[in-house]
Amino acid sequence: MTDKPFHHGNLRAVLLERAEAMLREDGLDGLSLRELARQAGVSHGAPRSHFVDRQALLDALIERGFTRLTNDVRRALSGHGSQRARLGRVAQAYVDFAIDDAALMDLMFLAKTTGLPPASRDAAAGLFQVLDEAMGPSDQPSQDPSSRVSFTLLFGATMQGIAALVSSHRITREQGDSLVDEAMDVLLESRLGTRAIAQ
């Protein structure tokens, strides 16, 4: 608990940061508005000025998570190098986030998109837009738009699967990094990869 006063306008950000930490430490079941208020050092009613209920808090965390992951992926994509190198960096950024923020990642992808508020849905769509951009220009004659969608979904599923193996201690982080590299070779050399990626 802290006696430090919050400046007007920053309580929401403070609450979300604390909620992320609680999610990381105690899991979804340990996250409540009352406990969040206690740990943030504010009155029990203070969080409700920003989150009308627990679901509103979870929705905000989902939006925040997708925004952060999208920013991580975008930074990884911004460097120079071959298409393979750029996609490899994107893959590693995705897996690193999914390992380091496993509970948040679970929350982000367990939520049904039909029940999410527009801001959270838009944040999720932004991630997949950047993953699509990672495949290069989409106007090549040899490319199949449906293959790009399938490749993006398979890419995400593969990287989340690797991250889950690391998070559950089935494999080491070093083994996970090696699997990311090997998975990229398999994906890019597949028929799907050939149809989806700008050559």
Side-chain angles (χ1 to χ4, degrees):
M1 227 166 151
T2 179
D3 296 322
K4 182 180 179 182
F6 293 107
H7 297 294
H8 178 72
N10 74 346
L11 178 57
R12 187 177 191 275
V14 169
L15 290 171
L16 284 173
E17 287 174 11
R18 186 61 241 163
E20 271 195 47
M22 291 172 62
L23 187 63
R24 194 176 299 116
E25 294 161 9
D26 303 319
L28 189 58
D29 291 341
L31 188 58
S32 71
L33 290 175
R34 179 174 288 271
E35 179 61 16
L36 176 60
R38 188 190 71 78
Q39 292 199 21
V42 297
S43 68
H44 289 161
R48 293 190 182 276
S49 63
H50 296 281
F51 312 108
V52 65
D53 55 20
R54 184 174 182 268
Q55 186 57 54
L57 172 64
L58 296 182
D59 290 341
L61 284 171
I62 290 168
E63 178 187 350
R64 181 180 168 99
F66 274 115
T67 299
R68 282 181 43 215
L69 177 54
T70 300
N71 289 338
D72 287 353
V73 168
R74 196 180 294 281
R75 278 193 297 272
L77 187 57
S78 66
H80 298 293
S82 66
Q83 184 71 42
R84 167 66 174 81
R86 285 156 51 88
L87 276 168
R89 292 197 304 269
V90 166
Q92 193 63 60
Y94 195 107
V95 170
D96 286 344
F97 181 96
I99 294 171
D100 296 334
D101 283 292
L104 180 57
M105 192 73 159
D106 285 346
L107 175 63
M108 289 157 56
F109 282 92
L110 285 174
K112 295 181 179 179
T113 56
T114 53
L116 290 176
S120 300
R121 287 201 307 271
D122 290 347
L127 170 64
F128 286 96
Q129 177 60 41
V130 175
L131 292 178
D132 181 78
E133 291 171 13
M135 289 185 279
S138 60
D139 57 356
Q140 304 299 312
S142 62
Q143 287 181 303
D144 172 20
S146 64
S147 294
R148 285 175 72 94
V149 174
S150 295
F151 185 92
T152 301
L153 295 173
L154 182 58
F155 175 93
T158 301
M159 298 313 150
Q160 282 184 237
I162 293 171
L165 289 173
V166 176
S167 297
S168 62
H169 304 292
R170 298 288 194 276
I171 61 175
T172 66
R173 187 131 188 185
E174 291 74 19
Q175 288 175 312
D177 291 344
S178 179
L179 280 179
V180 169
D181 195 53
E182 291 171 6
M184 287 308 305
D185 287 340
V186 171
L187 288 170
L188 290 173
E189 292 171 10
S190 67
R191 286 184 298 171
L192 178 62
T194 301
R195 294 196 302 266
I197 305 296
Q199 301 296 326

